[in-house]
Structure formats: C-alpha cells, structure tokens
Amino acid sequence: MPSIFSRIIAGEIPSYKVAEDEHHYAFLDINPLTEGHTLVVPKREVDYIFDLSDQEYADLQLFAKRVARAVEQSTDCKRIATAVIGMEVPHAHIHIVPIKKESDMDFRKQKLSLSAERMAEIAATIASNFK
C-alpha cells in the first residue's frame, strides 16, 4: 500500500505544495512546529533515508537546500533547522523548520493549528521564492 506521502505526490490527497521537480516534492507539514515547516520527500517511495542510493541521497539534500533557502526568505526566522526522524511515515523525508530559538525544534511541543487560508498563503510565498 502506498505511503501517505506517495498518495500526496500522486494528487490523491491534497497538500500545500511549495516545490517540485522530477524526483522530489516539498509541501507544508499540516502539523507544523512553526509557520513554514516543510517536508521534502523523494518521489520514489523508500522507507529509510539511508536506503537511498548515494546519488538519490545527495540529490535530495541539494533539493532540500533550495527549499530551505525559499523558506528562509519567506519566514521570520534566524535559521533553518533540519531533521530526519523517519519513524512516523514509512517514506524518507526531511523536515525543514524555520526557527528563532532551539526550542522551536522540539517535536514534543504542541503543534500549530493554522487555517487553510494561512497555509495556502505560506505555501504560495515559499513557492514564489523557490529557485
């Protein structure tokens, strides 16, 4: 059965897409730690990020860097933090999280609840800054 991320990539489940290329897809996390929290995934479904080939891994990281720069330009943050946890969804992914302080990156804290309109606005802003 395809992962939820594969279903998002296929358009079966809606998402707030911020960037895409032939091999990668980036979209806002619907349970964000901060405004602009984005997930970057390979389109090829691989459960564990370190099971990607060396080239796929490098390409994913380079795509994530471009997404991170767009998030950085689109949000009020001091840094962009990244995390690879890989336990909650069996599809490799990188969290891109704009932060002002280290505690912004605490996955145990309560997530933000943003309106659909705000999520769409954030996604459009990031997408417009993606190069």
Side-chain angles (χ1 to χ4, degrees):
M1 186 163 100
S3 76
I4 190 169
F5 292 167
S6 290
R7 294 180 64 210
I8 287 169
I9 293 163
E12 297 172 15
I13 297 173
S15 69
Y16 297 98
K17 179 173 77 170
V18 302
E20 179 178 20
D21 70 11
E22 183 181 351
H23 300 289
H24 310 98
Y25 193 87
F27 56 99
L28 294 182
D29 191 311
I30 60 168
N31 296 303
L33 294 174
T34 63
E35 286 195 5
H37 180 169
T38 300
L39 300 175
V40 177
V41 303
K43 288 184 175 178
R44 185 171 81 84
E45 187 172 315
V46 174
D47 179 9
Y48 186 46
I49 196 166
F50 297 119
D51 287 339
L52 293 168
S53 72
D54 289 350
Q55 189 62 57
E56 288 172 316
Y57 181 80
D59 290 346
L60 179 64
Q61 290 290 347
L62 290 171
F63 183 79
K65 181 179 178 180
R66 292 172 53 211
V67 172
R69 291 293 185 206
V71 171
E72 186 175 41
Q73 292 172 2
S74 304
T75 62
D76 179 27
C77 68
K78 288 188 177 184
R79 299 270 186 194
I80 295 295
T82 63
V84 175
I85 301 168
M87 300 298 284
E88 61 279 356
V89 177
H91 191 132
H93 58 286
I94 299 171
H95 293 265
I96 304 291
V97 184
I99 63 171
K100 293 181 181 177
K101 57 191 180 309
E102 279 187 30
S103 61
D104 290 340
M105 194 64 175
D106 186 348
F107 282 86
R108 296 169 297 181
K109 74 177 192 171
Q110 185 168 344
K111 308 304 185 278
L112 299 179
S113 178
L114 304 174
S115 69
E117 294 79 17
R118 182 65 183 140
M119 293 286 282
E121 179 183 329
I122 294 166
T125 302
I126 295 169
S128 72
N129 285 310
F130 181 75
K131 296 173 179 62

